[in-house]
Amino acid sequence: MTTRTSSSFKTTPDICDDFETTVRVVDPSLGFANFGGKKHFGGQAVTVKCFEDNSKVKELAKSLDGRNKVMVVDGGGSRRRALLGDLVAGDCVQQGWEGLVIFGSIRDVDEIGQLDLGVQALGTHPQKTEKRNEGQVNVPIRFGGVTIHPGDYVVCDNNGIVVNETDPRERIE
């Protein structure tokens, strides 16, 4: 039986079953957790590589149409600064982003939990980043044993995070 939630994507276990030869699963031992108001989300990856500086995250949140997109942020796994807070998350909602996956920390979790936005991150930290305008956008990134390329499909739910090169909604059975 195929299970669906409010997302247009199947659940991550169903995607793993349907795409077992192509799906890549982010290592669950990293401890990603859902913090956003949307617990099941997916879309095409827009990647950001940054370290303790969310300048590029903030820029994309304000300027890019995020419909059907997931911002995937490689923060190097740092838990010493928050790469997302309520103001940037609010900008993401305004621009229609499906969600964010942050290999790092976030803050303002109570506010973010009320937004119609998916957010998975490693944890929380109350301190914001310094703005040095550093980072790279739309480059391949790697964490949790998975390389994520811009345009890959990323789907997240309480079961985990999966990545597939093609749209997992378009499986022909």
Side-chain angles (χ1 to χ4, degrees):
M1 179 170 107
T2 297
T3 307
R4 291 194 186 265
T5 64
S6 60
S7 173
S8 63
F9 289 92
K10 295 178 182 178
T11 64
T12 59
D14 286 340
I15 292 170
C16 287
D17 291 350
D18 290 349
F19 292 87
E20 61 186 301
T21 62
T22 61
V23 70
R24 302 177 314 268
V25 179
V26 174
D27 184 350
S29 71
L30 291 175
F32 276 92
N34 258 321
F35 291 97
K38 198 187 281 188
K39 303 299 182 197
H40 180 213
F41 61 97
Q44 281 193 288
V46 175
T47 62
V48 180
K49 186 172 181 68
C50 59
F51 185 76
E52 297 181 5
D53 176 356
N54 75 340
S55 300
K56 299 298 181 185
V57 175
K58 185 176 182 178
E59 182 181 306
L60 288 173
K62 282 184 169 261
S63 66
L64 189 64
D65 179 355
R67 286 178 288 187
N68 301 311
K69 293 182 180 75
V70 173
M71 192 183 313
V72 185
V73 182
D74 178 358
S78 174
R79 296 184 184 212
R80 299 183 304 201
R81 298 288 178 132
L83 294 172
L84 179 71
D86 62 340
L87 297 178
V88 175
D91 290 337
C92 288
V93 171
Q94 291 291 345
Q95 289 298 101
W97 286 90
E98 296 297 324
L100 297 93
V101 174
I102 299 182
F103 185 50
S105 295
I106 68 167
R107 67 188 204 160
D108 301 316
V109 296
D110 293 332
E111 293 84 354
I112 289 172
Q114 299 300 310
L115 298 176
D116 186 25
L117 182 69
V119 178
Q120 286 222 6
L122 296 180
T124 64
H125 194 288
Q127 194 169 20
K128 67 181 179 179
T129 67
E130 292 182 26
K131 306 294 186 278
R132 301 180 306 267
N133 201 29
E134 295 177 354
Q136 299 170 289
V137 175
N138 280 330
V139 296
I141 58 176
R142 182 170 179 80
F143 57 83
V146 172
T147 300
I148 302 167
H149 298 273
D152 282 349
Y153 284 83
V154 177
V155 180
C156 307
D157 61 20
N158 285 325
N159 298 292
I161 302 168
V162 299
V163 180
N164 203 57
E165 191 174 310
T166 61
D167 189 338
R169 295 172 295 187
E170 296 179 1
R171 181 173 175 82
I172 300 171
E173 306 212 31

